[in-house]
Each structure stands twice: as C-alpha cells, then as structure tokens.
Amino acid sequence: MNNELDKILILDFGSQYTQLIARRIREMNVYCEINAYNISIDEILKFSPKGIILSGSPFSVLNENAPIIDKKIFSINIPILGICYGLQLITKHFNGEVEKTTKKEYGKAKLIVKQENELFDHVFEEQNSINVWMSHGDKVLTLPANFEVIAETLNSPISAIKHKIKPIYALQFHPEVMHTKDNNQILNNFVINICKASANWTAKNFINKELSVIQKMVGNKQVICGLSGGVDSSVVALLLHKTIGNNLTCIFVNTGLLRLNEAKEVRKIFKENYKINLVYVDAEERFLNALQNVIDPEEKRKIIGKLFIKIFEEEGKKIGDIDFLAQGTLYPDVIESISFKGPSATIKSHHNVGGLPEKMKLKLIEPLHELFKDEVRKVGKELGLIDKILYRHPFPGPGLAVRIIGKITKERCDILRRADNIAIAELKNHDQYDKIWQAFCVLLPVKTVGVMGDERSYENVVALRAVTSTDGMTADWSKIPYDILGKISNRIINEVSGINRVVYDISSKPPATIEWE
C-alpha cells in the first residue's frame, strides 16, 4: 500500500474472529491489514499504521510457548487496542497478573462501564451497561501499574482497561462480533477518534492507486487474464483493460467444470459490452482426463491449477511474448491460504493461491488481493461492470470439481449442472437469489433407494447449499421458505435423470465451510 492512506495494523494470534475485525474497519472506509503476530518492529514502522490491534487467540498467555509480540511496539506511541488474548498479553507485558479462571466465560455478558471514556462514546445502554460477547478461559487477576479499569462484568471484574498516560486500551470481550451491542461503534471510536485515521479507503481511490501500480509494473508488456465470468476475474479484466488496453488478452477456458451454458453466456456478455481481447479455449476433455479417478479435493485443485497455467502458457506463445498472468485473488484467499506459526490454520488451499505450481514462467498480477468480496463489487460498480455479473454468486476457481464429492466424470458434471441450474432459477423466480450470498448444489458420492412412479430407483443424492454472508469469511445458512425448497426439490427429482433425493445443508461457517471441499 502507498503511504497516502491512513492504515490500521491487526496482529493475528489465531482468533477465529480476526478477519471480522478487519471487515469492521474496512466498513469505516479505513484501510487495514492482518499480519502475523511476530512481525518485526521495523516492518511495523515501514507499514506506518495509525493504530495497532492485537487479536484474540486460542492460546493462553500462561503457556510456555505462548505467542508474543516485539516488546518495542509498546514504546512507539501508536494507539494500541488489545482484544481478549490481546488484553492478557498487555497485562503480562506490563507486569500485571493473569490466571486460569475456574469459571470460563463464553457467550453474552453484561458489561458495566465504570467511567466515561473515548472508547465507549455513544455505546451506553441503560445504566451505563452494554451487552457484549465473551470467549475466554483466562482472566486478569491484578491490574498492571499505570492502568485503570474502565469496565467490568460479573465474572470478569477487569474487562476493559486503559493506560493512564499512553494510548493503550484493552478489552476482554470481542467488539467485532455481531453479538456485541453497537460492535462497530467501539471499533469506530478507536480507529476514527483515538487513532485519528481518515476514511479514505474508497473504490475510486483504490482504482486510481491500482492503475498507477499496474502501469508501473507492466509498462508496455503483454498480460493474459483468466476470465471466468465471475465478478472477481471480470473486475480484474476491466481494471487491466482500463490501464493497458490492447496489451491485455483475456483467456476463457472451458474446463468442462462450468455451470450450464456458462461458456456461451460469458462470451456473449463480454463481446456485446466490452471491447476486450478474448480468446476461447475448449479444454473440457483435457481437464476431465487429468481428473480421472482423482478423489482428494486438494489434489483436484493442484491438477486444475497446473493445467490452467499450462494452457495459459500455450495460448501465450500463440499471442507472442507474454510476461504476466492476472487473476482475481482476494484478501480472504490470502488470509485462508497462509498458516501463521500456531494461529490461523489453513482451511484449504484456494485455486487462486494454493493451486498454482511453484515454478511457472509467467509473473503474477493480483490487483484485488487487498480486497474483500463486497469491496470488489464496489470497484466493479465504479468500473461499469453490468449487474448480471456484478451481483452473481461466487463460483470457485476449480468449478464443479469441488462440488462433486468423489470422482469427476462428464456424466456427473452434467447431472450437477442441470440440478444447480434449476435451484438457481427457482431462487430467482421467487426473489430469493439477491438475498443470498451464495447458493449451489453439491453432488454426493452416495446413492439412495427411491420410488419413481411404480418402480424402485437407486439414484444420486444432491445437497442444496445456500448461505447469507457479507464477505464469505463467516456465513449462516439461508432460511429459504419451505415451499420454495419443496419446489426446488420436486423439479430436480422430476427433471434431472439420475437424482432421486435432495437434502438441504443447514451448517454455518464456522464450524463448516461454505463449499463442501
């Protein structure tokens, strides 16, 4: 990032809520980044943050190998906010005492604010109390010198503290989660009022900055972009086209793992709406052959990623000297594909990150790697991307390969394509599609007994998955009305040969993921 933006640095100790902190701050139009807890003081000063937030953690500060930060952080006079583990870490650093509590505190708690202060401005409810979300097994027993208690709960007499001189604050609860009343206001008070960060992280500013970065990086060289027709790759294509014009060639690869009629529709949209060089490659047979008898989802991703690059390099030779490959890697992809020492375990490798071979001739351009999905849509809107693509549900890079559990065959792809098309059509027909973050069908590797007409059947099971979310980092299952679910099920069973049972996935993320593989 350039230094014109005011920035907040989040140091991650592995909390499941770390990404939520970043989301809340981005919603204020303030740029922030998540980094490993063990970043050096030199790296922090180079980043030049207006404030630092220490996340929660599954660890205990009492453990021998508990993750700690560079102690010099506390002497650079930048506002610091510790959350949960962050509070305990601050307490221990300043020689306070932390103990294992006999009564762990998880869930809602009533926080009593003991004194007015800038961190709790405009968040009071009746009698100076607010409902907050607790999730901790340790608690502060003795307050460090020069700190004062500013809030307490019944189980945690020291639930919020501040340094009497330095701009250091700490909370035992999680202000970033929706269960905490006025969650954004507390973080807003820290970021805007205490850190004095300017709200200049906007789509227009991002585009202007990125155009300059791309131009400087690429110059007059040639770039190819893998265009899928999803919002991410489409925004990348428009951003690059705006910067380098005809030096960009988009390649649409039909992997045979796409949704029904997708190849035809995407080619038509980009031909009619945008003057971008577009090459179409029908590689269905190559991908299906490469995936034959492959079961493991990580292996599927890697095979698809390597074949993608091979095809791009082949097409690049036909075009001429190609130096760069552009793709729509997003910030959640980066976060979930990095495993810090101890914290934030990798959930899965993403096609945009983990599926690429370590050695390839093309250099990567990932202009969206700083953005969450909703921010990408704002950028796309600013660039003039049509609504049909802009508000399309996310689709994974490996396509149906990670929505077909087990072996990949053309027959299974066709079955899933038809079922998925019916589900999406019915959601649109009943005005549900735009209320849902992501909806799709998954083909399971099991068959069940059914009765079709007067005959006994033994056919496939399809699972319908639909979730509500803001950015895909966390999600809840969609409460689709029963009559619509019934219509989807009836149509799929009646119209798709090979399916005799439809089930609905009611898992949230976490603990489940949105995609099944």
Side-chain angles (χ1 to χ4, degrees), residues 191-206:
V191 172
I192 303 298
N193 300 338
I194 296 172
C195 298
K196 308 297 182 186
S198 299
N200 53 9
W201 174 246
T202 64
K204 189 172 183 179
N205 286 346
F206 169 81

Side-chain angles (χ1 to χ4, degrees), residues 314-382:
E314 290 171 0
E315 294 301 318
K317 289 179 181 178
K318 297 176 186 177
I319 298 167
D321 293 328
I322 302 295
D323 295 278
F324 296 95
L325 166 67
Q327 63 173 13
T329 303
L330 303 190
Y331 198 39
D333 297 338
V334 175
I335 294 169
E336 289 196 3
S337 295
I338 294 173
S339 181
F340 298 136
K341 183 181 178 183
S344 290
T346 302
I347 307 299
K348 60 189 174 186
S349 69
H350 288 256
H351 165 61
N352 282 341
V353 179
L356 298 179
E358 292 182 10
K359 293 182 180 179
M360 63 179 187
K361 298 176 183 177
L362 302 172
K363 299 173 185 175
L364 272 180
I365 299 179
E366 298 172 307
L368 307 182
H369 75 279
E370 299 168 339
L371 304 183
F372 287 95
K373 180 69 98 175
D374 57 320
E375 294 173 318
V376 174
R377 287 198 168 102
K378 290 176 183 176
V379 170
K381 191 78 171 176
E382 189 76 24

Side-chain angles (χ1 to χ4, degrees), residues 147-167:
F147 277 83
E148 57 188 344
V149 177
I150 56 177
E152 65 183 12
T153 67
L154 182 63
N155 292 325
S156 298
I158 303 176
S159 289
I161 64 175
K162 70 182 291 288
H163 197 281
K164 294 178 181 178
I165 302 169
K166 297 181 178 182

Side-chain angles (χ1 to χ4, degrees), residues 222-252:
Q222 296 289 318
V223 180
I224 56 175
C225 173
L227 182 65
S228 69
V231 62
D232 303 337
S233 65
S234 298
V235 171
V236 169
L238 292 187
L239 193 58
L240 285 165
H241 187 252
K242 187 178 178 69
T243 313
I244 61 175
N246 289 331
N247 282 0
L248 169 70
T249 300
C250 289
I251 299 176
F252 184 95

Side-chain angles (χ1 to χ4, degrees), residues 178-179 435-439 465-480 504-514:
M178 64 180 181
H179 307 288
K435 299 175 184 178
I436 295 170
W437 164 263
Q438 192 173 5
R465 178 72 158 146
V467 298
T468 55
S469 180
T470 300
D471 48 42
M473 300 303 295
T474 60
D476 194 11
W477 59 278
S478 296
K479 292 10 177 228
I480 299 173
Y504 189 44
D505 183 349
I506 58 170
S507 310
S508 296
K509 176 186 179 181
T513 54
I514 296 177

Side-chain angles (χ1 to χ4, degrees), residues 259-275:
R259 289 167 285 197
L260 192 66
N261 300 323
E262 190 160 21
K264 182 179 179 181
E265 289 177 0
V266 171
R267 291 161 71 190
K268 182 181 179 183
I269 287 171
F270 276 85
K271 183 178 180 180
E272 293 179 354
N273 294 276
Y274 310 104
K275 296 179 180 178

Side-chain angles (χ1 to χ4, degrees), residues 105-109 132-136 153 156 159 172-174:
E105 196 172 21
Y106 296 104
K108 289 184 179 180
V132 299
W133 185 260
M134 291 285 193
S135 179
H136 65 103
T153 67
S156 298
S159 289
Q172 184 58 77
F173 61 93
H174 288 272

